Amino acid sequence: MNQAFISAADLGRALARGDITSEALVTATLARIRKYDAQLNAFVEVYDESALGAARESDIRRSRNQSKGLLDGVPFAAKDLFDVEGHATLAGSKATSRAIVARSANAVQRLLDKGMILVGKTHTVEFAYGSWGTNPSSKTPINPRDPLIPRVPGGSSSGSGVAVAAGLVPVALGTDTGGSVRTPAALCGVIGMKTSLGLVGRGGVQPLAFLFDIVGPMTRSVEDAALILASLQGEDQEDPSTFGVPQHDTVNDLEKGVAGLVLRHPAMADLAAAEPGILVQFRRTLDELRAMGALIEEKPLPRPLETYASLTANMTTVEAWGRYRPLVEQENSLVDPEIAKRMSRGATMGVADYLDYLEQRRMMQIEFDGYFTGADAFLLPSSPITAKPLEGIHDTPAPFGIFTRLANLMDLASISIPMGDVENLPTGLQIVVRRFADPLALRVARALEVHRGGLFLAPSNY
């Protein structure tokens, strides 16, 4: 069985039927990582021995009719912001402690408790503070969609996006503060979800800006995203945002389609930052959804997308500077100079500025709730551009947050799904819903996936 681009759900079904063992599956996964990762740079470290041991344990459970569920025995990876027991969390930086952690992050542990097999940790932008996906302090993952020109993967969950897109793993965990799951999902052509704050615990995850940080899955199918989100939910004693939050059924309504749903989108003038080819794909997708029975509405945004993006960036900078200032300011700092420069903007922002940002955010949330009234979901492209050549891009301002930060600022949920290629490079559609309406975002995404006969397109060279 060539399982490289098979979904996690279908791998689970194959394991249940006895078509393959978890040991064979994980052996093939590790071999594929060894074959391709030298050129892709997706992984920080790979856990060959422990992964194979866990796979054998999964096979034993299944032989005794003690399987932990559909995902038991299926491999996954986690961004190197997640603690993994027995390993250091480097956060993509030379400046972090190399201390071994004693306990895995809540999200990692929840997947392990479902019997999933952790095969390694993936590269991230240093401290998750950047959206091109580059990292001179560690390694920059290479977008697998262009066989000729090395291109940016999108960040900060860069390695996770590349690993899923290149068929190294079917599932990877990422984090999203202003688009860090959705941007690499869009640029690499996979599915990435910004979950509702409080739905998935962040215990054991290296923070950037705790006000906005979330944990989200990256997959190649909508069903997989729904299954992983179902597994990740629940209270986390290290994350008060999860206290009292009920679990949501992410699977039951997945096949209900979009007929009768009101899907709103901004005026095309609001999306002026997008490349023409992306807008062509966006209009085509709106037409498809309309033909599928959705009610498509255009409504100009209350404010420019750049306004929401700028406020989110300022608030993130204040938090990042407050957290990482000692590492940036220490003599002979090992923090990458460009990351240090970005963070140092926080030194010019005081408590009064931050309180003003919070008040602006409150007013914008009230205003945007009025804009959202009467609609089930809000649609816009995930990224204004396709993946650009890697050479020389690290120090260039990245435009991705213009389209993604709105969801973080407003405490909304959002999923990015492949929208169609422009000049053989992926683009993403962003489906934004109200907080805790994550199952609805998945439902809309799944409807398009069924209508098109699939969303993910495997890269040619992998």
Side-chain angles (χ1 to χ4, degrees), residues 32-225:
R32 188 169 173 81
I33 293 171
R34 284 192 297 272
K35 180 177 181 179
Y36 291 115
D37 199 51
Q39 65 200 70
L40 288 170
N41 300 329
F43 282 86
V44 177
E45 52 189 8
V46 180
Y47 308 141
D48 297 69
E49 186 175 340
S50 63
L52 285 169
R56 295 183 190 108
E57 291 174 6
S58 174
D59 290 333
I60 291 170
R61 284 194 299 273
R62 187 166 281 104
S63 71
R64 296 174 177 172
N65 293 319
Q66 296 173 343
S67 172
K68 294 183 176 182
L70 179 61
L71 298 175
D72 195 343
V74 175
F76 77 103
K79 182 180 185 178
D80 191 27
L81 294 184
F82 291 82
D83 287 348
V84 172
E85 180 182 351
H87 300 269
T89 303
L90 305 181
S93 179
K94 295 177 181 176
T96 47
S97 165
R98 266 43 184 173
I100 302 301
V101 302
R103 184 170 60 177
S104 293
N106 169 76
V108 170
Q109 190 60 52
R110 284 186 178 276
L111 297 188
L112 294 175
D113 289 345
K114 293 293 184 181
M116 294 191 73
I117 313 297
L118 181 63
V119 297
K121 290 214 281 188
T122 54
H123 280 288
T124 173
V125 175
E126 187 168 11
F127 302 125
Y129 201 47
S131 53
W132 286 120
T134 55
N135 189 336
S137 293
S138 182
K139 282 185 177 180
T140 295
I142 306 300
N143 194 318
R145 281 299 304 269
D146 190 335
L148 301 177
I149 300 172
R151 292 182 182 271
V152 297
S156 63
S157 304
S158 49
S160 289
V162 169
V164 172
L168 305 187
V169 286
V171 172
L173 293 177
T175 63
D176 190 312
T177 305
S180 288
V181 162
R182 290 161 289 157
T183 295
L187 268 60
C188 293
V190 299
I191 291 156
M193 190 157 191
K194 180 223 170 287
T195 57
S196 292
L197 180 65
L199 206 58
V200 181
R202 298 167 293 176
V205 180
Q206 184 88 1
L208 175 62
F210 206 64
L211 186 67
F212 300 133
D213 293 346
I214 65 89
V215 171
M218 303 184 77
T219 66
R220 293 189 296 267
S221 82
V222 177
E223 181 185 21
D224 284 359

